[in-house]
Amino acid sequence: MAGSIMVTFKEALLTQLQAAAGFSGVQVVYADPGEAMRRECVFLGDIDGGTQVPETFSTGTRRRVEDFTLEVLVAVQGKPTASSAETRAVALANVVDDVVANDPQLGGLASLTFCEVEGMSMTTNEAGIDGAHCVVTIRIHARARLA
């Protein structure tokens, strides 16, 4: 019985994001880089709402449907204004959206039925010692059929 595709999903998405032309010169990493974060960074965050529901009720191996939501965070810092930080962060978030929309099965990832951008949110701080800072959180919903 397959347990989950959460880790392989993150790995496949990271590969796709790192190959995206719109991220040239942008730090794209598997997890929060902490203090090693560059001025423009895309990283994979938490997975939320993971559920597995049986497709059939029988003895032995049962097929299940797995649903979960992955957060992808786009952080931009060091811009002169909050508006310019938001503009750049949203442009980078749109690259994530395009990657997912153009290949919702992430290159044929085993068991993945589809993934899609579920929504985005944005947090912005006014200019400080390092300039304005903006983080866009993109929620990507994934569904898989597990054997």
Side-chain angles (χ1 to χ4, degrees):
M1 194 182 290
S4 175
I5 68 157
M6 287 189 276
V7 173
T8 56
F9 176 80
K10 287 178 72 172
E11 292 168 343
L13 180 60
L14 179 65
T15 299
Q16 297 268 358
L17 294 176
Q18 288 174 331
F23 288 144
S24 178
V26 176
Q27 181 183 27
V28 181
V29 294
Y30 188 84
D32 186 342
E35 291 185 22
M37 185 180 295
R38 298 185 193 147
R39 292 196 179 274
E40 296 183 345
C41 181
V42 177
F43 63 93
L44 307 182
D46 294 335
I47 289 182
D48 202 18
T51 61
Q52 292 185 3
V53 178
E55 275 192 319
T56 59
F57 294 97
S58 63
T59 58
T61 303
R62 291 190 285 174
R63 293 182 59 93
R64 292 168 292 145
V65 176
E66 178 177 46
D67 280 295
F68 58 86
T69 301
L70 169 68
E71 290 183 339
V72 176
L73 293 94
V74 174
V76 173
Q77 55 190 348
K79 296 293 183 188
T81 66
S83 176
S84 62
E86 287 180 349
T87 299
R88 180 61 177 153
V90 168
L92 294 174
N94 288 339
V95 174
V96 175
D97 191 14
D98 289 345
V99 166
V100 172
N102 291 332
D103 189 2
Q105 294 175 322
L106 299 182
L109 177 63
S111 300
L112 180 64
T113 306
F114 71 90
C115 65
E116 63 186 352
V117 171
E118 189 174 77
M120 298 185 193
S121 60
M122 182 168 54
T123 303
T124 308
N125 295 314
E126 282 292 337
I129 194 165
D130 292 326
H133 179 88
C134 178
V135 176
V136 174
T137 303
I138 304 144
R139 291 176 310 284
I140 299 175
H141 172 249
R143 175 168 285 169
R145 279 211 159 86
L146 308 175

